[in-house]
Amino acid sequence: MKKFLIPLLIIMVGLAYSGCTSTTPTTPGTAGIYKYSLKFGTLGSGNGQLNNPRGITVDSTGNIYVADYGNNRVEKFDSAGTYVSQWTSNSPMGMATDSAGNIYVCDPGGSFVTKFNATGTTLATFGSGTLLDPQAVGVDSAGNVYVDDTGNTRIVKFSAAGALITQWGTTGADNGEFVRPYGVAVDNLGNVFVADFTNIRIQKFTTAGAYILQWGNTSSNNGPFVSPVAVTTDIAGDVFVVDEGNNKVQEFNNAGTYLTQFGAYGTGNGDFNGPTAVAVDASGNVYVTDYGNNRVEKFIP
C-alpha cells in the first residue's frame, strides 16, 4: 500500500540522490490555467460512491473508470460524472486504457494486472510470478503494456497478449534507477515517464528502457515535488504529475519544463486531501482522484 505521509528520512534520501541532471524551472510556460468544473463521489459503497479511490483512466469516448480500492471494484462514469456501471476487482490501484477501449488494472495484492473490456469482462491476467506489488500501468500506441513493478523496483514491459518483452531499473538514485516507483505513463511518441517516488523525481525513458532525462526535487515551489505518486500525459505530450505531499497537480512539457499547476489542501471545490491519480481526456479535461475526500474532481483548461 502507498504511504501517503512522507517521513523526513524519505525526503533526505531524495535530496541525496546522485547523477541527477534535473531541471527546476520557476516560471510558467505556455499552458493555460485549469479551472474546477465538477466533482462526483461520496464516501460509501453504493452506486457512484467511493471508498479510498486510488486509480483513474479515461477512454477515447470520455468514459471515466475509477479504481474504488476500499470497495474492491471498478466504477464507470460518463464525462459528466454520472454513474454507469461497476465490476469487481481486488484492491485495484493504477489503471490505463488502450486504443480499443480495454481497461488494465493493477492488483498489488495478487501481484498481477487484469485486462477488462469496457463492460468489465475479464480478457486476460498477466504478470503473476513476475510482478511484486504493481502500482501503476501504462499502454503505448502499439498496445504494449508497461507496469510499475514497485516491489521489484523496476518497469516491466509486456506485449498486448501479456508476453514479457523487457524490463529495466534497479534500486538506487542514479539515472535510470528507482526507489519505490509509483507511477508510469506513455505518451504518443513512445516516451515512458516514471514517478520515482522516494527519489522525488520524474524520469523519462524510451520504450526500450533507455534513460533520457529527469526533473524534480523536494520543494513546495513550482516544478519540484514532495511526493510524486502518479503521472500521465495528454495528446500534446505534456506531462501531469500528482504531487500528493503538496496536494496539487503540476503540468510540464515533454522535456520537463514547468507549465502550470492547480490544487491546494482542503475539502472545497478544487481542493485535495491526498490526490492519488490523474487522467486526461481527448479534450484536455483533467480528472483527479481525491483519496482523502473520497471523490473525483474534474478540471477544464
Side-chain angles (χ1 to χ4, degrees), residues 219-234:
S219 175
S220 59
N221 297 322
N222 299 339
F225 312 113
V226 169
S227 50
V229 297
V231 60
T232 196
T233 62
D234 64 14

Side-chain angles (χ1 to χ4, degrees), residues 6-24:
I6 313 304
L8 180 60
L9 177 60
I10 288 178
I11 300 301
M12 293 174 67
V13 169
L15 284 169
Y17 69 78
S18 62
C20 178
T21 56
S22 65
T23 60
T24 54

Side-chain angles (χ1 to χ4, degrees), residues 92-243:
M93 294 286 283
M95 307 176 71
T97 53
D98 63 19
S99 59
N102 300 309
I103 299 96
Y104 300 78
V105 182
C106 289
D107 182 338
S111 290
F112 55 80
V113 173
T114 305
K115 179 180 179 179
F116 299 94
N117 68 14
T119 61
T121 299
T122 299
L123 302 178
T125 60
F126 52 90
S128 181
T130 299
L131 303 174
L132 179 63
D133 191 25
Q135 296 283 328
V137 59
V139 184
D140 67 21
S141 59
N144 298 308
V145 182
Y146 301 77
V147 182
D148 203 336
D149 187 11
T150 304
N152 288 315
T153 320
R154 64 186 180 182
I155 301 298
V156 182
K157 179 180 178 180
F158 298 91
S159 71
L164 178 65
I165 297 176
T166 190
Q167 61 188 34
W168 70 88
T170 58
T171 301
D174 288 334
N175 297 344
E177 295 180 337
F178 309 113
V179 180
R180 300 300 293 172
Y182 271 148
V184 64
V186 190
D187 67 15
N188 291 332
L189 300 176
N191 299 302
V192 182
F193 299 88
V194 180
D196 189 8
F197 178 81
T198 303
N199 286 324
I200 316 174
R201 63 186 178 183
I202 300 298
Q203 295 196 70
K204 179 179 179 180
F205 301 87
T206 69
T207 54
Y211 170 85
I212 300 174
L213 58 83
Q214 63 181 278
W215 70 90
N217 57 28
T218 177
S219 175
S220 59
N221 297 322
N222 299 339
F225 312 113
V226 169
S227 50
V229 297
V231 60
T232 196
T233 62
D234 64 14
I235 58 175
D238 288 343
V239 183
F240 295 77
V241 181
V242 176
D243 187 3

Side-chain angles (χ1 to χ4, degrees), residues 18-63:
S18 62
C20 178
T21 56
S22 65
T23 60
T24 54
T26 57
T27 56
T30 58
I33 297 172
Y34 286 84
K35 177 183 176 182
Y36 168 83
S37 175
L38 60 85
K39 62 187 176 186
F40 54 93
T42 58
L43 178 61
S45 58
N47 294 346
Q49 293 185 312
L50 299 167
N51 183 1
N52 298 338
R54 295 291 186 88
I56 192 166
T57 191
V58 185
D59 67 20
S60 60
T61 60
N63 294 304

